[in-house]
Amino acid sequence: MDAEAQESFREFVANRSSALLKTAVLLSGGDRHAGEDLLQNALIKAAGRWDRIDEPEAYVRQVLYRQQVSRWRLKWPRRELSVAEPPETGTAPDTSGAAELRLVMRGALARLTARQRTVLVLRYFEDLPEGEVARILGCSVGTVRSATHRSLARLRALAPELAVLGPAADEQRPSRDYSPVEVRQ
């Protein structure tokens, strides 16, 4: 890689790494260290092909998704012992509803399988259409739909308190006028 390409890569990492890290952390179930590893591996792959990449962010995101898919397809997934994080000292507890919602959501996402988490991140965090998610994951649109449905059902079962903490379901949906249509004979 020549000096100009190195500088271009450094600028990309400096400008876009925080947004890409958020996606990687979500893909890894809220585990920041696993998200950092996922992003680092994606950036390493991008650095090796930097001169040939037309859209760097799209390329890095694609690598993130595919690496996450590869992780859940491992015959023997890596098992790690989860332990509670030690409480932070010296700070006042955040009592806002948003912080509580984030914690509940993070815990619920961590209890989903990697595939369920990936489908939800792509559909709702990245806001990709079903067809694009299907292309990224290498499956059919129907598979994406059913996986999304099952993942949301599991998320609701794991964290029923999300319905209490978040806005009511009726407030989220746009109101529709279902008034009867006049039929002329």
Side-chain angles (χ1 to χ4, degrees), residues 101 104 108 111 153-166:
L101 180 62
V104 170
R111 291 183 282 178
R154 174 120 168 100
L155 188 66
R156 287 182 189 111
L158 288 172
E161 60 269 32
L162 288 175
V164 175
L165 294 174

Side-chain angles (χ1 to χ4, degrees), residues 112 115-116 119-120 123-124 130 141-157:
L112 293 176
R115 180 182 182 136
Q116 290 171 328
V119 168
L120 291 179
R123 283 289 292 132
Y124 298 109
E130 291 169 338
V141 172
T143 301
V144 170
R145 286 180 184 154
S146 62
T148 302
H149 176 74
R150 282 191 221 108
S151 300
L152 286 173
R154 174 120 168 100
L155 188 66
R156 287 182 189 111

Side-chain angles (χ1 to χ4, degrees), residues 110-144:
R111 291 183 282 178
L112 293 176
T113 65
R115 180 182 182 136
Q116 290 171 328
R117 208 173 26 251
T118 302
V119 168
L120 291 179
V121 167
L122 290 173
R123 283 289 292 132
Y124 298 109
F125 180 73
E126 293 291 326
D127 198 27
L128 296 177
E130 291 169 338
E132 182 68 12
V133 174
R135 187 188 64 73
I136 289 170
L137 299 179
C139 62
S140 70
V141 172
T143 301
V144 170

